[in-house]
Amino acid sequence: MQGHFITLEGGEGSGKTTVLDLVYKELSDLGYSVLVTREPGGIPIAEYIREIILNPNNTQMEKRTEALLYAAARRQHLIEVIVPALERGQVVLCDRFIDSSLVYQGYARGIGMEEVMAINHFAIGDLYPELTLFFDVEPEEGLARIAQNENREKNRLDLEKLTFHKKVYEGYHLLLNKYPDRIKRIDAKKSIPEVTSETVERILIKLKG
């Protein structure tokens, strides 16, 4: 494939979704053909699954069911959106991908990262991101940002206790240490312009490398 597959990761309120729109504009202005998408979602089937997963009413959802639903949405999204875009030579910027499942379901929910990796390997095969940017901000600050943002989509994960979000944060740092060549840290405590600039710089290094 001729394109580039880049993912953005982080805990709730890390700011990656806000920055993503700004990064898209900057890269497009530089002449890159960019596709922005998200998980779970990005296409009708995956969006339906997203509604099930994130619906605040579905608090009874079992953790393995949750992991399988994420993997199912990921497979459909990969085949319908990501692979065709890469074959067209586009830069694909995806808001969350497999690392979210490893951290949220594998680590924070306690299923096990290896178990969740196995489920997702079945879903995506060998198509992993060539670059993943981890937006690093402590969960206390991230959740405070969410509380102040009335326009943000409120979902089932927002109902989790602080201890859960701290586990998510720990999980991301485990992945950061495990995959240092693929995952790069972005200091998400900085201002939006600073975070956007650092994100674009990291991406351009990969695109020009």
Side-chain angles (χ1 to χ4, degrees):
M1 298 185 190
Q2 297 178 339
H4 296 275
F5 184 24
I6 297 168
T7 57
L8 283 69
E9 294 281 353
E12 307 304 305
S14 61
K16 58 183 173 44
T17 305
T18 300
V19 169
L20 190 52
D21 291 335
L22 300 172
V23 172
Y24 167 78
K25 185 178 185 308
E26 287 204 29
L27 292 178
S28 297
D29 289 345
L30 291 172
Y32 290 97
S33 176
V34 183
L35 174 73
V36 171
T37 188
R38 71 172 182 174
E39 287 204 349
I43 49 168
I45 291 175
E47 288 290 344
Y48 292 143
I49 297 175
R50 179 188 180 91
E51 290 178 17
I52 296 170
I53 296 173
L54 297 181
N55 189 324
N57 294 322
N58 292 340
T59 54
Q60 76 277 19
M61 185 179 296
E62 202 272 335
K63 58 188 179 182
R64 290 178 183 267
T65 302
E66 182 183 64
L68 288 164
L69 285 172
Y70 274 115
R74 180 161 298 127
R75 175 65 184 177
Q76 193 68 29
H77 182 226
L78 191 75
I79 296 305
E80 274 197 61
V81 177
I82 296 174
V83 170
L86 293 175
E87 289 176 342
R88 292 192 298 266
Q90 290 186 282
V91 177
V92 177
L93 301 179
C94 189
D95 186 344
R96 297 198 180 282
F97 195 62
I98 187 172
D99 297 302
S100 284
S101 288
L102 297 177
V103 167
Y104 280 80
Q105 285 74 53
Y107 191 74
R109 296 249 188 258
I111 297 176
M113 284 192 178
E114 294 303 319
E115 287 80 357
V116 173
M117 177 68 86
I119 293 170
N120 279 273
H121 183 70
F122 176 75
I124 70 172
D126 295 322
L127 189 52
Y128 288 82
E130 58 190 278
L131 173 65
T132 296
L133 299 175
F134 164 52
F135 283 59
D136 189 345
V137 64
E138 287 80 3
E140 292 88 346
E141 181 172 342
L143 294 174
R145 291 176 178 179
I146 291 173
Q148 296 170 357
N149 185 359
E150 297 180 354
N151 298 320
R152 182 187 179 278
E153 172 191 49
K154 297 297 187 298
N155 61 57
R156 190 166 57 87
L157 293 175
D158 296 331
L159 304 178
E160 296 288 349
K161 295 179 180 179
L162 179 60
T163 51
F164 174 82
H165 294 286
K166 285 186 174 181
K167 291 287 285 184
V168 167
Y169 188 67
E170 289 174 15
Y172 272 122
H173 278 270
L174 287 174
L175 292 183
L176 187 65
N177 292 327
K178 187 172 183 178
Y179 303 108
D181 292 337
R182 175 173 67 86
I183 304 179
K184 305 299 180 183
R185 178 183 177 273
I186 300 290
D187 185 353
K189 294 187 293 295
K190 295 181 179 179
S191 67
I192 292 296
E194 288 176 311
V195 174
T196 301
S197 177
E198 185 178 351
T199 301
V200 170
E201 182 179 347
R202 285 283 191 182
I203 292 174
L204 289 176
I205 290 172
K206 175 58 67 175
L207 297 182
K208 294 177 179 179

